[in-house]
Amino acid sequence: MNRMNDTGAVAGPASGQTSHTHRLRGLAGTGVIATLVAMVATTLAAALAQAVGVDFEVPEGGETIPMSGFAVVTGFFSVVGIVIAVALLRWSARPAKRFVWTAVSLTAISLVAPLLAGANTATTIALLALHLVAATVMIPTLAQSLRSRTD
């Protein structure tokens, strides 16, 4: 939104809007970097698990989860986390606190799927650990970014 100064010239965007846009962009940028880190971390952890004998075979269809699948799923749900963080920054009085509560709750819910998949014990444990690897990267990073943007 532009405003006029005393001389009748347009002064440019209101500083509140510029500041808000800057905060959202900064959070989104931080989130994208954290997403890339989480994707690499989960894929490397999955590769390490596979190297020590975890087969990542899920009985439903008997197929093995490909390495690229870990990166894709981590990336998708990390972006969902960024969207939640941006929404909370925009509409919550306490975005960091609400984000941590929401993200931890969603992470706990996500741990149910590996338990119900019917995979062998090693695969189940590895899948649970991979969920926690991604959460360990994303949740603190986005929460800290929310804190620094609301001070």
Side-chain angles (χ1 to χ4, degrees):
M1 175 175 253
N2 291 331
R3 59 184 177 183
M4 294 189 93
N5 64 17
D6 292 335
T7 63
V10 175
S15 63
Q17 182 181 4
T18 303
S19 174
H20 179 71
T21 301
H22 179 71
R23 290 185 338 202
L24 291 175
R25 285 185 184 161
L27 175 61
T30 299
V32 168
I33 292 167
T35 296
L36 295 173
V37 170
M39 291 169 66
V40 169
T42 55
T43 304
L44 288 175
L48 179 62
Q50 193 172 46
V52 297
V54 177
D55 61 17
F56 291 113
E57 186 176 311
V58 180
E60 222 26 67
E63 295 191 24
T64 301
I65 301 170
M67 282 297 126
S68 61
F70 295 107
V72 169
V73 171
T74 300
F76 176 79
F77 285 105
S78 294
V79 169
V80 170
I82 295 168
V83 170
I84 291 168
V86 166
L88 290 170
L89 180 61
R90 174 73 175 96
W91 291 298
S92 176
R94 296 181 182 168
K97 183 177 180 177
R98 300 271 188 258
F99 175 77
V100 170
W101 187 89
T102 302
V104 169
S105 298
L106 291 173
T107 300
I109 291 167
S110 79
L111 297 176
V112 173
L115 295 172
L116 298 178
N120 65 40
T121 303
T123 297
T124 300
I125 291 170
L127 290 172
L128 292 169
L130 292 174
H131 280 78
L132 298 175
V133 166
T136 300
V137 172
M138 293 303 298
I139 295 172
T141 303
L142 290 174
Q144 181 58 40
S145 186
L146 284 167
R147 281 185 201 98
S148 68
R149 294 181 196 304
T150 55
D151 291 341

